[in-house]
Structure formats: structure tokens, C-alpha cells
Amino acid sequence: MPGQQHEVTFRFLAQPTDVNFGGKVHGGMAMKWIDQAGYACAVAWSGAYCVTVSVSGIQFVAPILIGDLVTVRARLIHTGTSSMHLAVDVLASDLRKNEQRLATSCVMVFVALDAPDGKPTPVPHWEPRDDGERKLQAHARRLQELSREMERLVDVQADEGPQNSG
């Protein structure tokens, strides 16, 4: 039922096929997991097909090793008319030591569509329940404004064309 589930968590073991030549999970694999968890959360909240609009501030904080228990948590932090902003964290745990570390984090924006090739469709409104969620929502709104500002700057530069330096 739309508007009920605002958080999704995936758990699995990092496998040998997930790693780069340095023996650590490569960033592209972490980004795939982030997109999958984000999509699942957006669809669970909206009850509609969703597409990724943006991924902001992705940070690779600590490596993920083969055999680590990986937890990917996506949670809703802001809704617009048809958009959903999600905070996504990737945590890695060495099960032998019972130590968990933040490996990757970012903010994603998804838009709900009325069909896979359709138009944006409204999503249920989400309200933060505590101070932590209110801070995350404020962060999402700041990122939204920065994104709009970046679009304006890119449009201005595209309109001006290449600059002559001499």
C-alpha cells in the first residue's frame, strides 16, 4: 500500500565477483546496490514505477571486503509532488569481529511515473517524525536548491558557448 513503507534494507555477503583488482568491492558495484535499494524504497512508498533522477554527494568512506556482511539502507527524507529524496547508506560488517563501518553514503532522487514510458505521477506526502528526520529533510531541500542552481549555471555556460582565451 503506497505511503506506508518509507525504508528498505538489503543484506547480503560481498562476493569475490564484486571486487576490483585491489581486492575490494569496486565503486560501480556499490552504486548498483545503492540504485537497487533506492528503487525498492521509492516504489514501496509511491506504489508506482520510478526512475532515478539524481545521485548527490556520493562518498566512498571505507572499503568493503570479500565476506563482509553488506547492509544497504534506503530511507525517505523528503517528498515533492512526484519526487522522492532518499538517504542511502552502505554499511560493511566483519562478522568475525562484529564491527560495522559506514562504507558509502549518498542522497538520491527518484520520480514516480504513471507507466514505464509515462509521465510523472503524484506520490504520497511524507512528514518527518523526529529531529533527525527533520535535519535530513532540510539537507534534501538544500541539495534540491543547489541542483537547481547548478542547472542554471550549466544552461548559462551552454548558451554562452566556448570562451575565447586569447
Side-chain angles (χ1 to χ4, degrees):
M1 179 187 297
Q4 299 295 310
Q5 186 174 346
H6 71 281
E7 186 172 321
V8 169
T9 302
F10 289 180
R11 285 192 179 93
F12 48 88
L13 293 175
Q15 309 218 0
T17 55
D18 300 331
V19 300
N20 60 23
F21 295 110
K24 298 174 180 82
V25 169
H26 59 83
M29 186 58 67
M31 291 168 68
K32 176 183 174 184
W33 299 334
I34 287 167
D35 196 46
Q36 290 171 337
Y39 174 80
C41 187
V43 170
W45 181 259
S46 67
Y49 177 76
C50 297
V51 293
T52 308
V53 173
S54 68
V55 179
S56 301
I58 191 162
Q59 298 177 44
F60 298 95
V61 180
I64 302 170
L65 307 175
I66 294 172
D68 280 348
L69 177 65
V70 178
T71 302
V72 185
R73 183 176 74 163
R75 56 193 159 136
L76 194 62
I77 60 172
H78 179 64
T79 53
T81 303
S82 61
S83 65
M84 294 155 285
H85 299 237
L86 309 170
V88 184
D89 296 321
V90 180
L91 304 162
S93 301
D94 181 336
L95 295 171
R96 295 165 297 187
K97 299 178 184 174
N98 199 24
E99 295 174 349
Q100 189 175 61
R101 63 196 176 280
L102 177 66
T104 307
S105 66
C106 67
V107 173
M108 302 184 76
V109 178
F110 283 84
V111 168
L113 301 178
D114 59 7
D117 292 323
K119 298 187 181 324
T121 190
V123 300
H125 180 72
W126 176 82
E127 279 295 323
R129 299 166 302 184
D130 57 36
D131 285 342
E133 288 183 351
R134 279 187 276 283
K135 287 177 184 175
L136 285 169
Q137 184 180 56
H139 180 68
R141 288 179 172 158
R142 282 192 305 275
L143 283 174
Q144 188 175 27
E145 185 51 42
L146 287 170
S147 184
R148 286 187 188 125
E149 189 176 322
M150 180 64 89
E151 286 174 19
R152 288 189 292 269
L153 287 171
V154 170
D155 286 345
V156 168
Q157 290 177 355
D159 292 341
E160 293 173 358
Q163 300 296 314
N164 240 344
S165 59

